[in-house]
């Protein structure tokens, strides 16, 4: 048994090619990546109609990877829009009734065919979001693998939801954290808090070591 633990410690201490991924590296990647100005999913950008344009002003949603959308509270509560978009799975990364959370649950979507999962995460550097990385990745993957569509949100669609999507890309798509950040941030302005960036960096180092 002692030998096993010693082996694990040795694996953990293996040097990574190019060095350790750090919170600072991911923050630097965010700053260097330009967010594109993409049309809102589900709308025709060439349609010239005032009412049509006004409806779009209530939507905050971006397709950040094929079949994966990140959005805000108002969009997550707009069941008509979600159904129009063809959303099959919805991940609320801020489930709760307090300020800074989104008060929805599976019952809110019971009149739809949307499958719901809620995570009670606060947008704080001290929050351990890493314990939900694989739960979130499995749920998103369930949607994408079945040719469905996953809508992932928190309050603003910037920190908690973005972090869960980044973890999915790393765990299920084999992306390095830097590449995942570039992919998502190029399609939507995101800003995971420093604690979340640190946990994503740790996940990246763990995944990289598994492939040594």
């Amino acid at each position: 048994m002692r030998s096993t633990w010693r082996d694990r410690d040795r694996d953990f201490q293996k040097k990574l090619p190019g060095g350790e991924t750090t919170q600072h590296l991911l923050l630097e990647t965010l700053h260097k990546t330009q967010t594109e100005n993409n049309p809102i999913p589900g709308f025709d950008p060439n349609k010239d109609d005032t009412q049509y344009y006004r409806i779009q002003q209530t939507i905050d949603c971006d397709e950040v990877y094929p079949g994966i959308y990140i959005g805000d509270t108002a969009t997550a509560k707009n069941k008509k829009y979600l159904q129009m978009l063809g959303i099959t799975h919805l991940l609320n990364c801020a489930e709760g009734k307090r300020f800074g959370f989104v008060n929805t649950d599976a019952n809110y979507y019971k009149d739809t065919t949307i499958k719901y999962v809620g995570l009670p995460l606060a947008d704080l550097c001290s929050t351990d979001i890493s314990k939900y990385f694989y739960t979130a990745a499995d749920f998103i993957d369930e949607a994408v693998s079945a040719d469905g569509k996953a809508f992932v949100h928190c309050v603003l669609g910037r920190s908690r939801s973005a972090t869960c999507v980044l973890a999915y890309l790393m765990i299920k798509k084999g992306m390095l954290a830097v590449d995942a950040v570039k992919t998502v941030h190029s399609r939507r302005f995101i800003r995971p808090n420093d604690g979340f960036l640190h946990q994503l960096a740790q996940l990246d180092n763990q995944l990289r070591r598994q492939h040594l």
Side-chain angles (χ1 to χ4, degrees):
M1 179 63 73
R2 289 179 181 175
S3 174
T4 301
W5 281 109
R6 224 178 277 125
D7 290 342
R8 289 177 183 174
D9 288 342
R10 200 179 300 120
D11 286 342
F12 184 74
Q13 292 169 6
K14 283 180 181 176
K15 289 188 177 181
L16 290 169
E20 301 278 321
T21 302
T22 64
Q23 169 195 329
H24 178 73
L25 174 63
L26 299 186
L27 184 58
E28 192 175 60
T29 303
L30 279 170
H31 290 158
K32 289 182 177 179
T33 305
Q34 185 74 30
T35 303
E36 301 164 4
N37 186 19
N38 297 309
I40 300 172
F43 289 94
D44 180 358
N46 298 314
K47 186 173 181 178
D48 187 14
D49 181 271
T50 302
Q51 187 176 1
Y52 191 74
Y53 177 76
R54 283 175 180 166
I55 293 172
Q56 293 180 59
Q57 303 314 297
T58 65
I59 303 296
D60 181 6
C61 172
D62 293 285
E63 186 174 18
V64 297
Y65 192 80
I68 302 174
Y69 302 78
I70 295 179
D72 68 353
T73 300
T75 308
K77 290 185 174 182
N78 190 333
K79 290 181 279 189
K80 185 177 180 180
Y81 173 71
L82 296 178
Q83 289 174 305
M84 180 185 79
L85 208 53
I87 298 299
T88 58
H89 293 61
L90 185 139
L91 179 62
N92 177 358
C93 301
E95 186 184 70
K97 297 180 180 180
R98 293 175 292 149
F99 178 78
F101 290 80
V102 183
N103 186 18
T104 58
D105 53 24
N107 192 54
Y108 182 83
Y109 299 96
K110 70 179 182 180
D111 58 343
T112 74
T113 57
I114 295 172
K115 186 172 182 180
Y116 173 93
V117 165
L119 306 178
L121 294 164
D123 188 17
L124 300 171
C125 292
S126 58
T127 296
D128 182 8
I129 195 171
S130 66
K131 65 183 179 182
Y132 291 110
F133 280 167
Y134 283 85
T135 299
D138 287 345
F139 184 68
I140 295 170
D141 194 55
E142 180 184 297
V144 177
S145 297
D147 293 324
K149 294 181 179 181
F151 184 87
V152 187
H153 77 94
C154 44
V155 174
L156 297 177
R158 299 280 187 267
S159 182
R160 288 164 282 191
S161 53
T163 300
C164 286
V165 170
L166 292 170
Y168 159 81
L169 292 174
M170 294 160 64
I171 294 168
K172 298 296 184 179
K173 296 300 179 183
M175 285 192 190
L176 295 175
V178 166
D179 294 330
V181 167
K182 288 178 181 177
T183 297
V184 176
H185 193 55
S186 67
R187 293 164 175 80
R188 179 178 179 84
F189 179 82
I190 60 169
R191 181 57 176 91
N193 70 49
D194 289 346
F196 293 174
L197 287 177
H198 175 68
Q199 291 171 69
L200 285 169
Q202 288 185 314
L203 174 66
D204 194 53
N205 293 327
Q206 292 167 8
L207 294 171
R208 289 168 65 200
R209 281 193 170 87
Q210 288 176 13
H211 293 95
L212 287 177

